[in-house]
Amino acid sequence: LISSEKHAKHLAYHDQLTGVPNRALLFARLPEILEGVGHDFPQLAVLCVDLDHFKEVNDTLGHDAGDELLRQLAESLRTAAATISGTLIARLGGDEFVLACPVCDRIEAEGLAARCIDIATRTIHRAHGQIELGCSIGVVLVDEPAADASAILRRADMALYRAKSEGRSRVAFFEPEMDEAFRTRRVIEDSLRDSLRRDAFNMVYQPQVDLHGRVPSVEALLRWTHPDLGEISPAMFIPLAEERGMIMAIGDFVLRRVFQETAHWRHLRVAVNVSAVQMRTAGFAAQVLRLAAQAGADPARYEIEVTETALLGDGPAIAENFEVLRSFGFSVVLDDFGTGYSSLSLLHRFRVDKIKIDRSFVSALGEDGEAGGAEVSALVGAIVKLARSFRLGVIAEGVETEEQRRQLVMSGCTEFQGYLTGRPMPAGDVAERYEPGANLRRLAQTA
Ligand code: C2E
Ligand code: CA
Ligand code: CA
């Protein structure tokens, strides 16, 4: 009995895969360890260690290889941590580990973090290319006792977030202003939820212009005005919504509103942005079809814009959504083309209709003689040729100057979008300018 009780306790407090303590044990022990700060040792360094590119190992080499790697890593981290007495190591889940180490000062903590990075850094060779494995680390230094364990871990996590966003294989220490940034995110998150309940968003539409200056299509862009903070860019709140589980609801709003506002247009095509999370969700394509049908919108007039991350990853949902959308007549545009790792192989796997040359290339098309301009120009030319050989449409985004447009034309690009040729505007304005009779049709419909 005694031994089976011991065994059960061990199971409850240890990670099955790696054998190191789990989250439950970490939370049980951390308060006790924190009490020793300032008495038994000067400071406690809490490190959040998170592997970089681990998902690629799982995706391409399989879960067994991923498991084996985690076991090895846990063992090496445990050995490294053992050199500092009183250290606790735990696996929080996934590819995230926490180390709580009594240290003398920041320098000792930095040394430990550097050792962890060394341990995790390795190159895994595959049949096609290689995976550069590494880790990012967030550190919080605690120098007074009785601090709250979950607050400490949250801070280490914020520092980790900073480390990841500064590029991989980095160490970031927690700083008080991160708490501030975190609170702002919380405020924004709360009002985002609130706005979602009230449908308090709008869509605007940006013209896409061809070589003759005609406008065959527009891109729908989401707009949100925060009650206190004013207009907030979707580039900020969409990633937040993805992280906090709100993107499906926002995506539904976008599709519903876009179909409603544009179903009665006859000529203009409409591009709608779709998040990677949506593409990865089983049944997403069916939901798009439902919403289009409800509004009486013809799929053939719509383009779904996805980034390449939306097409990456395993699981059958992505390919299925893609095929369903295309088979019902939607076009698919590969957005931000050329910024990811695998644009080329994706073109082979997914029959997209059009690619969109990323704004970063367009803005680097310098004035004549500017450094790097010729290289970027060559890149753009290569992308256009690639698109042609796959018989795809190609459009450039972020076109701001006449010079950029000229160079794009020279490279063979035939469609342009940007402040030079038109700012985003409400549906009514688009219809008035580019859809003769549309507003009348709308009136007739509602009457
Ligand atoms: P994106 O899909 O690359 O959209 C183009 C962005 O570039 C838009 O910013 C647009 O206003 C801006 N832009 C257009 N012309 C120019 C130009 O000449 N110069 C410069 N510097 N910028 C220009 P916006 O509307 O802030 O959207 C930012 C990003 O947010 C979008 O990037 C897209 O990734 C995401 N997003 C916007 N609306 C939606 C949506 O309805 N659903 C989803 N999932 N994402 C959206
Ligand atoms: Ca887009
Ligand atoms: Ca883009």
Side-chain angles (χ1 to χ4, degrees):
L1 263 176
I2 289 173
S3 95
S4 77
E5 191 193 324
K6 255 192 170 159
H7 183 62
K9 256 198 180 140
H10 186 88
L11 281 183
Y13 280 124
H14 289 82
D15 173 47
Q16 304 296 295
L17 178 67
T18 62
V20 300
N22 62 13
R23 177 188 288 271
L25 185 60
L26 178 69
F27 273 91
R29 291 278 313 282
L30 202 50
E32 201 182 304
I33 298 176
L34 281 165
E35 276 173 25
V37 177
H39 311 294
D40 306 338
F41 45 86
Q43 299 186 332
L44 186 75
V46 178
L47 284 71
C48 245
V49 180
D50 188 286
L51 283 182
D52 300 328
H53 306 302
F54 177 68
K55 194 175 171 311
E56 281 173 50
V57 175
N58 263 340
D59 287 353
T60 61
L61 300 177
H63 288 268
D64 288 344
D67 286 355
E68 180 52 34
L69 190 76
L70 288 173
R71 269 193 290 266
Q72 285 174 16
L73 187 79
E75 190 47 47
S76 313
L77 285 177
R78 182 156 48 187
T79 311
T83 59
I84 302 177
S85 80
T87 295
L88 175 66
I89 170 172
R91 178 174 177 226
L92 275 196
D95 55 356
E96 198 169 322
F97 293 86
V98 166
L99 274 72
C101 288
V103 291
C104 306
D105 52 19
R106 184 177 166 121
I107 296 176
E108 196 180 355
E110 281 168 354
L112 179 66
R115 237 174 305 145
C116 293
I117 291 195
D118 275 350
I119 287 170
T121 303
R122 59 184 80 172
T123 303
I124 298 176
H125 296 278
R126 295 180 296 153
H128 305 285
Q130 53 197 36
I131 302 171
E132 300 292 346
L133 206 69
C135 73
S136 303
I137 303 182
V139 188
V140 56
L141 272 179
V142 187
D143 54 10
E144 35 187 314
D148 165 34
S150 54
I152 302 276
L153 285 173
R154 212 188 63 222
R155 290 177 175 180
D157 204 48
M158 278 183 239
L160 173 64
Y161 189 80
R162 168 74 59 89
K164 291 243 173 207
S165 63
E166 282 175 348
R168 307 281 147 138
S169 286
R170 279 173 200 258
V171 180
F173 278 73
F174 171 79
E175 282 149 34
E177 77 264 12
M178 289 181 189
D179 243 343
E180 183 74 21
F182 185 79
R183 269 195 293 275
T184 314
R185 276 166 59 87
R186 277 300 287 273
V187 168
I188 293 182
E189 183 187 332
D190 287 346
S191 28
L192 203 52
R193 264 182 225 288
D194 182 56
S195 296
L196 204 48
R197 274 191 293 272
R198 296 181 293 110
D199 273 2
F201 300 91
N202 287 305
M203 300 306 300
V204 288
Y205 301 82
Q206 184 173 35
Q208 301 183 327
V209 178
D210 70 12
L211 280 174
H212 313 284
R214 287 186 297 244
V215 175
S217 52
V218 293
E219 178 182 13
L221 295 162
L222 183 59
R223 289 292 171 265
W224 180 47
T225 307
H226 186 277
D228 307 316
L229 303 171
E231 188 156 301
I232 297 180
S233 163
M236 188 272 154
F237 72 79
I238 293 283
L240 184 68
E242 287 176 338
E243 227 170 88
R244 311 300 307 162
M246 288 180 272
I247 192 66
M248 295 309 291
I250 292 186
D252 263 15
F253 167 87
V254 168
L255 289 159
R256 188 175 298 121
R257 179 64 67 83
V258 167
F259 289 141
Q260 271 167 9
E261 288 186 332
T262 65
H264 60 289
W265 293 355
R266 295 278 160 79
H267 308 289
L268 280 173
R269 300 166 59 77
V270 182
V272 189
N273 291 286
V274 155
S275 142
V277 179
Q278 291 171 285
M279 279 305 277
R280 265 185 241 131
T281 303
F284 166 67
Q287 171 70 351
V288 179
L289 293 173
R290 250 192 313 274
L291 294 172
Q294 271 168 20
D298 173 11
R301 277 197 22 254
Y302 293 87
E303 297 170 358
I304 303 293
E305 281 197 11
V306 295
T307 56
E308 68 185 50
T309 42
L311 299 182
L312 288 171
D314 47 7
I318 297 174
E320 192 177 314
N321 283 325
F322 185 89
E323 291 311 326
V324 172
L325 287 170
R326 286 219 50 205
S327 66
F328 279 85
F330 287 96
S331 306
V332 180
V333 179
L334 203 48
D335 205 353
D336 303 342
F337 189 82
T339 54
Y341 301 96
S342 37
S343 309
L344 300 183
S345 62
L346 277 179
L347 285 185
H348 185 63
R349 285 223 314 266
F350 292 94
R351 276 281 149 194
V352 299
D353 300 274
K354 196 196 242 187
I355 60 184
K356 201 173 219 188
I357 301 176
D358 188 61
R359 185 158 71 237
S360 57
F361 296 113
V362 176
S363 61
L365 283 175
E367 298 298 316
D368 257 354
E370 210 166 283
E375 287 84 349
V376 180
S377 198
L379 266 176
V380 169
I383 295 179
V384 174
K385 278 209 196 75
L386 186 74
R388 293 261 173 284
S389 60
F390 277 85
R391 284 186 240 289
L392 307 177
V394 56
I395 180 168
E397 69 176 358
V399 186
E400 294 182 351
T401 67
E402 193 48 60
E403 174 60 20
Q404 287 167 349
R405 202 188 83 96
R406 195 188 63 81
Q407 291 193 35
L408 287 162
V409 173
M410 302 275 282
S411 303
C413 187
T414 52
E415 273 188 68
F416 317 89
Q417 178 181 351
Y419 297 156
L420 177 71
T421 46
R423 298 247 168 193
M425 59 187 110
D429 295 2
V430 175
E432 200 162 290
R433 284 194 209 184
Y434 308 112
E435 262 284 336
N439 285 345
L440 283 175
R441 282 200 297 280
R442 171 135 234 208
L443 272 178
Q445 239 173 34
T446 48

